[in-house]
Amino acid sequence: MNLDTTYLGLALPHPFICGASPLVDDLDNVRRLEDAGAAAIVMNSLFEEQITHDAMSAWFADELVDEPAPETLAFFPESSALGRGPDDYLEHLRQVKHAVAVPIIGSLNGSTPGGWLEYARLIEEAGADALELNVYYLATDVDETGLAIEDRVVAISRSVKEAVAVPVTVKLSSFFSSIANIAKRLEEAGLDGIVLFNRFYQP
């Protein structure tokens, strides 16, 4: 039986793809996934918070060396609580790409416009064959409309798509009042695919 297919324009021998999971943290496990038949592998996400934390740490080191109350820095989370830092993520992506022959899909998680979007290009440069954009956002502002949230998702997705040459897909949560409409808008914005659905612990 011929199971050849394409995903985001990538030619695959079958549609079984290993989604983002802790299995990609270890290179031996990545090789085992390929040996077990995974047609492509999705990296864990690099989070906007990790990039912001990294930038803030550099700012504190540069600007607050003489801070009279260094204990205030304890209010910031340890980098280990956020997973791999941006530089470590990019280096691990390079190693994963070198370790296997199957397509590697990078993943970027964020919900606001900002400098973190430059990491889409850096993930591409590190060797990702495609990029999965995770734009989960928990709405807590009573004055923010659903349309405003959707507009931001589309704007961020369009910015990422314009920044890279590799295919870009968007992973959505199920909390949109019209999934069909947001999917249509993302297609019109040039996105190459949509992943349904993200699962999160609920507040």
Side-chain angles (χ1 to χ4, degrees), residues 51-78:
I51 297 166
T52 302
H53 180 276
D54 195 64
M56 289 298 292
S57 296
W59 184 83
F60 273 110
D62 203 36
E63 300 292 330
L64 298 181
V65 174
D66 298 322
E67 169 61 50
E71 64 275 7
T72 59
L73 300 181
F75 288 103
F76 288 86
E78 293 293 330

Side-chain angles (χ1 to χ4, degrees), residues 47-130:
F47 285 79
E48 177 182 352
E49 292 87 349
Q50 292 169 273
I51 297 166
T52 302
H53 180 276
D54 195 64
M56 289 298 292
S57 296
W59 184 83
F60 273 110
D62 203 36
E63 300 292 330
L64 298 181
V65 174
D66 298 322
E67 169 61 50
E71 64 275 7
T72 59
L73 300 181
F75 288 103
F76 288 86
E78 293 293 330
S79 57
S80 59
L82 296 172
R84 293 180 187 276
D87 292 338
D88 287 344
Y89 182 93
L90 295 172
E91 179 56 32
H92 186 64
L93 173 55
R94 291 185 192 96
Q95 293 175 6
V96 168
K97 182 62 183 170
H98 182 73
V100 294
V102 298
I104 301 299
I105 300 170
S107 181
L108 189 59
N109 182 303
S111 61
T112 64
W116 65 275
L117 292 174
E118 72 180 80
Y119 277 83
R121 179 178 49 80
L122 294 175
I123 289 172
E124 177 184 35
E125 291 175 358
D129 298 286

Side-chain angles (χ1 to χ4, degrees), residues 168-180:
V168 178
T169 185
V170 181
K171 182 183 281 189
L172 296 176
S173 74
S174 57
F175 305 129
F176 290 94
S177 54
S178 175
I179 291 292

Side-chain angles (χ1 to χ4, degrees), residues 174-192:
S174 57
F175 305 129
F176 290 94
S177 54
S178 175
I179 291 292
N181 180 261
I182 191 70
K184 177 175 180 286
R185 293 185 64 192
L186 289 168
E187 180 182 31
E188 291 171 347
L191 277 294
D192 300 284

